[in-house]
Each structure stands twice: as C-alpha cells, then as structure tokens.
Amino acid sequence: MSLGIPNLSALIREIESVIPYTDKSLYLVDINQFGTLNDILGHIYGDLVLESFVLRLKQAFPEGAFIARVSGDVFGIIGPRIEFSELQNYFRAPIDVSGGVQQISVSIGCLDLDDESLSGSDYLINANIALKRAKSDGLGKSVRYNPSIGLQTRERIKLLQELKSAFTHEKMFLMYQPQVMLNGGAPLGFEALMRWKTGEGQFISPSDFIPLAEQGGLIVPMGTWILRMALHTLSEIHKAGYPDLQMAINVSAIQLRNPDFLSILKQALADTKVNPHRVELEITESVAVLGVEQVVRLFLQIKAMGVSIAIDDFGTGYSSLSSIDRWPADRLKIDSAFVSRIDKHKPGGRIVDLVIPLGQKLGMKVLAEGIETVEQADHLKKLGCLEGQGYLYGRPMVYEDALQWLRKSKS
Ligand code: C2E
Ligand code: CA
Ligand code: CA
C-alpha cells in the first residue's frame, strides 16, 4: 500500500543533498511486532495502523523533517537532533485506528549526518546497525550509532565467514565429557561438546559460536555433522568394550524446527549402526517456542526411535512448569549455575534443593552439571540426585583421552 510519502531511493538522494549538515540526524524508526499485529488482525487493519503512524511521525518530528518509508514498517527521517526520551514519549500514547486505539512501541536507530566521506547508502547501513542493536535491546529502545557498534557488527560478520570456512574445511571437532553415577563414580557415558580452533590458534567457545551459527543459517548442516560424528564415536566406544555407555548430543531448537530433523536422525542411526537406546538428545527449554503440542509430538517421535531426551540447562529458561510437565522427557539436567552456588552460600544457593525434588516429581532422572568440588557432590547426593557431570569427574576430552579415562575408571 502506498502511504503517499517518499521511498527509500528518495531518502538516499535527500541524505546526499544535506551532508555534511552537522545539525541534522538520520533516524530509522521501526514499529515493534508489526508483523504479528498484521498476521493476527489482518492486512487491512495493518494498513490503517501505518497510515495513522505516519501522522504520529509528523507530530514527533518538527515541520520540515523529511519522512520516508524505507520498507514495510520501517521509516527513515531526516530531522534535527532530538533527545531519545523526548522522541520515544511521542510513541507512548496509543494511535487511533478505525475508531479504536492501538498501542504500539518503536525501536529507533539514529546517527548524525556530519561525515562528508560517507555516501547515502553508507549512512543507511550504519543507521540500520544502530536500529538492529536497539531492537536486540528490547521493545521501545533507541540507539545512536557509534563506530564501536559498527565494528562489533562487522566483527560478527567476519567471524561468521570464518566459522563457515572452518566448517567446510573440517577445522571443527568434538570433545567428550564423562557423565557419571554420583555414588561410586561408574560412567554413564559422555556428552559431546563442539570445539572450534581458529586459523590463528584461538579457541572460540561454543557459547559464542553456536548462537552465531544459529543466526547465520549454519546450525542445521553443522548440527547434522555433530550428530553423525558423535554417533560414530559412540560406536567406537561400544566396540572398544563399553556397550552400555550412552552419548548425549546437544541439539538446538532451530535444528528441531527443521522438518527433516527426524529423517536426519534416523539416517545417522542407520549409518553408524549404534543402539538408539544409548543415544540421548539434550534439548534446552527454548524448544518451548514450538508450542506444547508440537513439542510433545516431536519428543514422542524421537522416543519411538528408542532415543531418549534430556532437558538441558533446567531452571534457566522461561518455560512454564505446566508445559514441561507435559513434555515426555527422560532426564533433567540441573544447570551448573545452581550447582556452583551450593558451597558459596550465595543468593540462590537453595534453588538446587527445590529443583531436584521437582525433577523427581516430574518423573525424570536428574543429572547435575558443573560439579567441581566434593562438597557440591555430597550435597547433591544428600538431595537424592544420582547422576552428575563436571570437572571433578572429568573435563571434556578428545576421543583418545576419553578412552584412556574409561580404562582408568574401570581399574
Ligand atoms: P552445555 O550444554 O550446558 O554444556 C556444558 C558446559 O559446561 C560445557 O561448556 C562444559 O565444558 C562446561 N563444563 C562442564 N563441566 C564443568 C565444570 O565442572 N565447571 C565449569 N565451569 N564448566 C563445566 P562448553 O563446552 O563451552 O559448551 C557451552 C555450551 O555451548 C553448551 O552448554 C551448549 O549449550 C553449547 N554447545 C556445545 N556444543 C554444542 C553442540 O554440539 N551443539 C549445540 N547445539 N550446542 C552446543
Ligand atoms: Ca548440554
Ligand atoms: Ca547445560
């Protein structure tokens, strides 16, 4: 729908005609969750919201400001420098839509038009970087561009390119961390953990590169590789004389959303010929975004193959207990954040006392992560937690060291 205001190319021409105009700034204003509103209330309603929103923009910016539509629900404005708080105030009151009112909030990215060496599209790229940052800060936030956020974004892009190349050139590998019975220390199996050593020999933590792989569309091929590699290692461990040990593999919610996930899993099990009853998928509470019905269906399909499911990082997510109660999972992994507070008498140190009986009541096995001290292990045992994992028992190791560790733990 046309809103009768200038478009993106007109905005770029206008930027180029005013630079360097030290008094003026470029603003990108994005209506938060406009897509959802459009989906739920329909396109006709969405169009009315946009029309009314343009009127609000004209109130927020002084006369003479240049207002253009950059894309569906993003507007570009060239106007004087305005305090963010003052600007956001204009968008607090609901807008009028077809006789009713609609509450909205906006994210704003902004930068000053004072650098002659930049082109109109350079300005837009930087304003967009500021807008993205504002959106990632939450609803109703504003961010002014500065070179350091630009650098961070460019570094992320560079890192993603390096990650892609490392993956295609097989520069990534898995380490295996033992999982044990807390009483007596008998091994249960291993958790596979991904590692990336960059060309410069620097180790990047999976906590940093897994989210990058998720955003960069790399997690599905990478996750498939991890699954196949971990199952291959498991079959080696079984052949080495430990047929009862299990392998736990981390699976991201984005992988699970892929309609091919079940066939990828089935194929990996068939190719490596491992016993599916020795395979566990670790899934975080973030899977809750799929909705409880979908999660239940998916978990049942996975379990029908013989594979078991652990809820990872339990207690750190936001999913409701009533939905977790319905998930047919086999094991809860108590997050290390709760375990590390046990012997420090820190706030939250008693959470673990609540979470372990809760897991048991939900009918699941309970494994505590990140156990580093004997004191922590003793406390967990007293609470009735039977299984654990952590530096106290073994660090993540390459396959050869994991075998060595098994031989030692047998003797
Ligand atoms: P996670 O699944 O919670 O894995 C446990 C993390 O705790 C691992 O970090 C492990 O090395 C670390 N850890 C284990 N024992 C101890 C301990 O006693 N003390 C302390 N301080 N830390 C301990 P890591 O390997 O850096 O992995 C971080 C996260 O990255 C994982 O957390 C997981 O969410 C993700 N990740 C790792 N590998 C994969 C993978 O193959 N696929 C996916 N989707 N995510 C992965
Ligand atoms: Ca895990
Ligand atoms: Ca975990």
Side-chain angles (χ1 to χ4, degrees):
M1 188 209 41
S2 158
L3 291 169
I5 56 173
N7 63 10
L8 176 62
S9 33
L11 178 69
I12 293 177
R13 280 197 304 276
E14 183 68 17
I15 295 170
E16 288 177 344
S17 76
V18 298
I19 42 178
Y21 198 125
T22 40
D23 281 354
K24 286 201 174 164
S25 302
L26 169 66
Y27 301 84
L28 285 182
V29 180
D30 177 308
I31 307 177
N32 295 143
Q33 295 169 325
F34 180 75
T36 315
L37 189 143
N38 222 5
D39 288 344
I40 295 173
L41 298 171
H43 290 260
I44 297 173
Y45 186 83
D47 287 349
L48 295 171
V49 169
L50 290 175
E51 278 176 0
S52 184
F53 184 71
V54 171
L55 298 178
R56 181 60 58 83
L57 281 174
K58 287 180 178 161
Q59 290 164 353
F61 290 94
E63 188 121 30
F66 186 89
I67 300 179
R69 188 181 188 184
V70 171
S71 65
D73 62 338
V74 181
F75 295 83
I77 297 101
I78 300 170
R81 260 189 177 229
I82 307 171
E83 286 290 321
F84 283 143
S85 56
E86 193 186 321
L87 203 50
Q88 283 285 5
N89 257 337
Y90 277 97
F91 300 102
R92 268 204 191 101
I95 55 172
D96 300 321
V97 183
S98 68
V101 292
Q102 175 66 47
Q103 190 68 52
I104 51 156
S105 71
V106 299
S107 301
I108 303 174
C110 158
L111 86 157
D112 294 332
L113 294 169
D114 57 1
D115 186 346
E116 219 173 343
S117 68
L118 297 181
S119 71
S121 31
D122 291 337
Y123 271 111
L124 264 169
I125 289 168
N126 290 349
N128 225 336
I129 288 171
L131 176 62
K132 285 231 170 79
R133 177 57 65 94
K135 285 168 86 165
S136 70
D137 286 351
L139 302 179
K141 301 284 183 198
S142 315
V143 166
R144 188 175 295 280
Y145 176 83
N146 66 54
S148 91
I149 29 180
L151 192 67
Q152 285 165 23
T153 307
R154 273 185 284 276
E155 269 169 6
R156 285 178 63 81
I157 293 168
K158 187 166 153 255
L159 205 60
L160 180 60
Q161 279 159 354
E162 282 177 35
L163 181 62
K164 279 188 178 147
S165 132
F167 179 58
T168 46
H169 295 95
E170 292 162 36
K171 291 280 166 52
M172 316 205 64
F173 59 101
L174 290 177
M175 300 258 259
Y176 305 92
Q177 184 178 34
Q179 300 184 319
V180 302
M181 296 304 291
L182 292 181
N183 264 323
L188 257 170
F190 295 91
E191 175 180 1
L193 294 159
M194 183 81 158
R195 292 291 176 266
W196 173 25
K197 194 175 170 197
T198 65
E200 290 108 57
Q202 190 193 0
F203 277 97
I204 311 246
S205 161
S207 311
D208 294 328
F209 72 76
I210 296 283
L212 196 64
E214 288 177 341
Q215 288 157 21
L218 201 58
I219 195 70
V220 171
M222 198 180 261
T224 304
W225 178 83
I226 293 165
L227 195 61
R228 299 180 68 88
M229 188 68 203
L231 293 186
H232 171 76
T233 302
L234 180 62
S235 85
E236 296 290 305
I237 291 172
H238 288 171
K239 282 181 212 150
Y242 305 92
D244 297 327
L245 297 187
Q246 72 158 14
M247 182 66 74
I249 303 158
N250 293 285
V251 177
S252 137
I254 294 178
Q255 277 172 271
L256 292 171
R257 226 163 45 191
N258 175 12
D260 296 333
F261 179 76
L262 291 170
S263 58
I264 290 169
L265 176 61
K266 196 173 272 171
Q267 193 62 47
L269 288 166
D271 291 348
T272 52
K273 300 187 183 68
V274 295
N275 177 357
H277 293 97
R278 301 286 174 270
V279 178
E280 182 159 275
L281 302 183
E282 294 196 0
I283 299 172
T284 66
E285 287 173 50
S286 66
V287 74
V289 296
L290 296 179
V292 68
E293 310 297 334
Q294 173 92 23
V295 173
V296 170
R297 184 154 11 108
L298 186 66
F299 281 18
L300 289 175
Q301 285 167 317
I302 292 170
K303 284 167 63 85
M305 293 184 201
V307 172
S308 58
I309 293 167
I311 306 298
D312 205 356
D313 303 343
F314 181 66
T316 59
Y318 300 97
S319 42
S320 72
L321 276 175
S322 58
S323 60
I324 292 187
D325 188 24
R326 290 189 49 199
W327 295 352
D330 304 273
R331 189 175 261 115
L332 278 185
K333 293 192 77 179
I334 308 293
D335 193 69
S336 57
F338 301 123
V339 175
S340 68
R341 289 187 188 124
I342 289 175
D343 46 10
K344 290 185 186 139
H345 307 289
K346 275 195 195 157
R350 286 172 315 182
I351 304 267
V352 74
D353 303 19
L354 304 171
V355 173
I356 288 169
L358 181 68
Q360 290 159 340
K361 286 225 171 67
L362 291 171
M364 297 188 219
K365 293 176 188 157
V366 178
L367 184 147
E369 287 191 283
I371 305 173
E372 294 183 353
T373 69
V374 174
E375 194 187 343
Q376 288 166 345
D378 287 343
H379 186 83
L380 290 161
K381 276 189 265 186
K382 249 185 267 160
L383 291 168
C385 178
L386 301 179
E387 305 168 343
Q389 177 180 348
Y391 296 166
L392 180 63
Y393 308 99
R395 292 193 171 242
M397 297 170 261
V398 294
Y399 170 65
E400 291 73 21
D401 294 342
L403 268 191
Q404 197 67 38
W405 182 91
L406 279 175
R407 284 189 203 108
K408 256 198 230 149
S409 80
K410 214 176 191 177
S411 57

